[in-house]
Amino acid sequence: MRRRPDRSMVDTLLRGVYALGWRIAARIPDRAAEVIIAAGARLATAAGSSALATWRHNVTVLTSRPCPDDLVRRGVASYLRNFHQVLALARWSRAEIDRRVVLVNDAPLRAALDAEGAVVVLPHSGNWDLAGAWACLNLRPVSTVAEQLGEDEYAAFVKFREGLGMEVIAHTDPNALSTLIAAVKAGRMVCLIGDRDLAGSGVEVTWRLPYGRTARTTMPAGPAVVARRTGAALIPGVARFSGRGLEVVLGDPVEHRPGRDGLVAMTQQVCDFFAAELPKQPEDWHLFQPFFPAEAAA
């Protein structure tokens, strides 16, 4: 019987990988990184895993089509590309960050930041850390919420994101909401991931799928709550890779609506934007956790 590795050993190994990666990733040329990533994607797809099976299900539902191995390989490659860029990002110059990011439909966001502020809500797509770093340099300092996993790994990623100019709040912090509200009032831009319902307290929405199909799921209402309590614009966005850069497509501001039904309606509007944009490049949706009900792919 094979012995499972000790958790402390795994944590130590992961810390070593991150420490090494943050030192050398920026020195690896894009072409060399692409070769390594393509090889890794082929190996991971051939080996398979429960996470990849979940991702395949998510994308099958998202696109209303079977998800072939080629798309799985592209999905793994996209995730590895994101991972490489995150490790390299801390050492990139401002010019390097600027040349890699393009915003589409950014006028409403810029107008909101000059008025009552903005809460931008994104799915796990593309490289949201690169988008946040660009925003800190070109728009406003960013405040965000991150999932708190292992203590050491979380501390390392907080240090990394703070080095980019971001304020990072743990999703388990009981003062997260008040901290985000204070951030908007202080002139910061709040950027939140809005597809995974980490707390399990989100609202039910209808995900409108291709070919007239629908699936029910839950999404966090936190972005809508922060926007309503501060008067800030709630703006959905989707980041996806484009060549060797990143395209961030922004939607128009979501209309503020009162009451519990209003929160549901606002979150539904965000959901509608995600549902329209993510199928255009599904390989960039890095969601390896269950999102749609199992029966939704039937």
Side-chain angles (χ1 to χ4, degrees):
M1 181 175 175
R2 293 182 66 182
R3 184 181 174 188
R4 294 182 66 182
D6 181 77
R7 183 65 210 172
S8 62
M9 184 191 307
V10 174
D11 289 343
T12 300
L13 177 62
L14 284 174
R15 285 196 296 273
V17 169
Y18 285 129
L20 177 64
W22 270 313
R23 286 200 301 271
I24 70 171
R27 301 172 189 168
I28 301 175
D30 281 342
R31 289 189 181 278
E34 288 165 5
V35 171
I36 295 168
I37 287 168
R42 286 194 299 272
L43 289 172
T45 303
S49 68
S50 59
L52 284 186
T54 298
W55 188 87
R56 191 191 293 264
H57 171 75
N58 287 341
V59 171
T60 296
V61 178
L62 176 73
T63 60
S64 291
R65 294 179 179 178
C67 179
D69 285 349
D70 177 64
L71 180 51
V72 176
R73 281 194 296 272
R74 298 203 311 270
V76 175
S78 176
Y79 177 76
L80 293 176
R81 179 180 183 181
N82 174 65
F83 186 70
H84 168 255
Q85 287 188 353
V86 166
L87 293 175
L89 183 52
R91 293 179 178 268
W92 280 351
S93 66
R94 174 170 187 157
E96 181 75 9
I97 293 171
D98 281 349
R99 79 174 181 85
R100 288 180 182 260
V101 178
V102 173
L103 260 62
V104 177
N105 190 37
D106 59 327
L109 171 61
R110 293 179 185 275
L113 290 171
D114 289 337
E116 298 299 325
V119 176
V120 177
V121 55
L122 304 160
H124 286 78
S125 180
N127 185 339
W128 50 95
D129 282 306
L130 176 56
W134 185 92
C136 286
L137 291 172
N138 294 281
L139 296 173
R140 297 287 191 282
V142 167
S143 293
T144 190
V145 171
E147 183 178 7
Q148 185 167 4
L149 299 172
E151 184 175 336
D152 291 331
E153 288 71 38
Y154 177 75
F157 270 94
V158 167
K159 182 179 179 181
F160 154 67
R161 289 177 174 129
E162 287 178 344
L164 300 173
M166 302 185 207
E167 176 189 30
V168 182
I169 305 153
H171 83 285
T172 54
D173 186 341
N175 298 313
L177 179 59
S178 59
T179 303
L180 290 170
I181 290 171
V184 173
K185 292 180 177 179
R188 300 180 68 90
M189 184 169 75
V190 168
C191 293
L192 300 172
I193 297 297
D195 47 2
R196 280 188 67 199
D197 180 16
L198 288 175
S201 58
V203 300
E204 192 173 70
V205 292
T206 299
W207 194 285
R208 296 180 172 89
L209 303 166
Y211 311 116
R213 301 177 64 199
T214 62
R216 299 293 287 174
T217 188
T218 60
M219 287 173 48
V225 171
V226 176
R228 282 202 326 195
R229 292 198 184 180
T230 59
L234 177 62
I235 298 178
V238 170
R240 53 186 170 233
F241 291 119
S242 176
R244 290 177 180 166
L246 185 75
E247 178 184 74
V248 184
V249 182
L250 299 172
D252 293 330
V254 172
E255 179 185 351
H256 285 208
R257 300 176 178 90
R260 170 74 179 180
D261 289 346
L263 284 180
V264 174
M266 292 172 71
T267 307
Q268 180 65 58
Q269 194 170 335
V270 171
C271 174
D272 290 344
F273 185 81
F274 289 175
E277 290 295 329
L278 286 172
K280 296 177 181 179
Q281 205 157 300
E283 62 265 33
D284 286 341
W285 193 29
H286 305 149
L287 196 63
F288 295 89
Q289 297 80 20
F291 185 74
F292 295 114
E295 65 273 13

